[in-house]
């Protein structure tokens, strides 16, 4: 148990009987993303100025669980995410969970749902080390957001429906 560079709280255990298992969790409650990136000497000034990001915070944990050498998993749980982007709040609407199975060499994202103004986007899917992917992005985007990215859009209102799926193999050029 302890604290790592004033960012993560560390907890863990190792059990040897009746069967070996180990678990480690790095918790990051109310992490100031911009300040942390600055402490790590990662320059995000272009990103923050382009999107007008003034604050960004996240809470969650990173876990490692090993029940045997054949059963090892890494998980990331985002309990909260919030940022001021282009003058509006970007928020996580529900906890998001990412799991990596080290033995099957696969990653699964169980629905990341973000809200921005009246927009809600949902991302879910999975991928593996063989290059197989299956991802879905669905939701609605506030049409006024388009003004920030497309110069020819002056007056836009309402919601734009979004539905994008990516399936196939990243190593096969003909699958997307």
């Amino acid at each position: 148990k302890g604290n790592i560079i004033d960012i993560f709280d560390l907890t863990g255990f190792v059990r040897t009987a009746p069967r070996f298992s180990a678990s480690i969790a790095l918790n990051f409650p109310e992490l100031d993303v911009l300040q942390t990136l600055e402490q790590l000497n990662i320059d995000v000034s272009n990103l923050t100025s382009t999107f007008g990001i003034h604050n960004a915070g996240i809470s969650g944990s990173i876990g490692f669980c090993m029940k045997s050498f054949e059963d090892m998993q890494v998980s990331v749980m985002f309990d909260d995410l919030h940022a001021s982007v282009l003058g509006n709040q970007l928020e996580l609407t529900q906890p998001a969970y990412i799991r990596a199975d080290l033995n099957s060499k696969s990653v699964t994202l169980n629905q990341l749902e973000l809200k921005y103004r009246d927009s809600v986007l949902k991302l879910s899917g999975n991928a593996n080390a063989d290059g197989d992917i299956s991802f879905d992005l669905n939701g609605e985007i506030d049409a006024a957001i388009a003004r920030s990215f497309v110069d020819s859009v002056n007056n836009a209102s309402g919601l734009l429906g979004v539905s994008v799926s990516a399936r196939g193999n990243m190593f096969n050029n003909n699958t997307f």
Side-chain angles (χ1 to χ4, degrees):
K1 191 170 189 164
N3 187 282
I4 300 174
I5 59 173
D6 294 327
I7 297 174
F8 298 106
D9 294 322
L10 173 69
T11 57
F13 75 89
V14 174
R15 183 172 51 206
T16 57
R19 291 180 34 190
F20 173 82
S21 65
S23 177
I24 298 171
L26 296 171
N27 301 302
F28 46 96
E30 300 178 29
L31 179 66
D32 182 325
V33 175
L34 300 178
Q35 180 182 2
T36 301
L37 292 172
E38 185 179 305
Q39 286 175 342
L40 297 172
N41 292 322
I42 298 173
D43 182 17
V44 292
S45 59
N46 287 338
L47 185 67
T48 56
S49 64
T50 300
F51 293 103
I53 301 172
H54 300 292
N55 64 54
I58 192 165
S59 297
S61 62
I62 301 170
F64 172 77
C65 180
M66 179 177 164
K67 295 180 184 174
S68 68
F69 289 110
E70 293 79 33
D71 188 4
M72 295 184 285
Q73 295 183 351
V74 175
S75 61
V76 179
M77 172 72 83
F78 297 118
D79 297 314
D80 182 37
L81 177 139
H82 55 87
S84 174
V85 179
L86 298 171
N88 294 289
Q89 278 298 116
L90 173 70
E91 301 172 319
L92 190 65
T93 63
Q94 63 186 22
Y97 182 71
I98 302 168
R99 182 178 52 89
D101 186 317
L102 301 180
N103 293 344
S104 68
K105 299 176 185 165
S106 64
V107 176
T108 302
L109 170 61
N110 293 342
Q111 191 153 312
L112 173 70
E113 187 172 307
L114 294 171
K115 180 177 185 202
Y116 181 77
R117 294 176 49 141
D118 292 330
S119 308
V120 175
L121 286 177
K122 301 173 185 179
L123 175 66
S124 62
N126 57 65
N128 65 33
D130 295 329
D132 298 323
I133 67 163
S134 177
F135 282 95
D136 294 303
L137 175 66
N138 296 293
E140 297 177 326
I141 298 175
D142 187 329
I145 296 170
R147 290 188 303 233
S148 303
F149 302 103
V150 182
D151 293 333
S152 61
V153 175
N154 295 323
N155 293 321
S157 63
L159 296 174
L160 299 172
V162 175
S163 182
V164 178
S165 293
R167 305 215 185 315
N169 188 288
M170 294 185 301
F171 305 129
N172 180 345
N173 294 334
N174 300 322
T175 58
F176 290 103

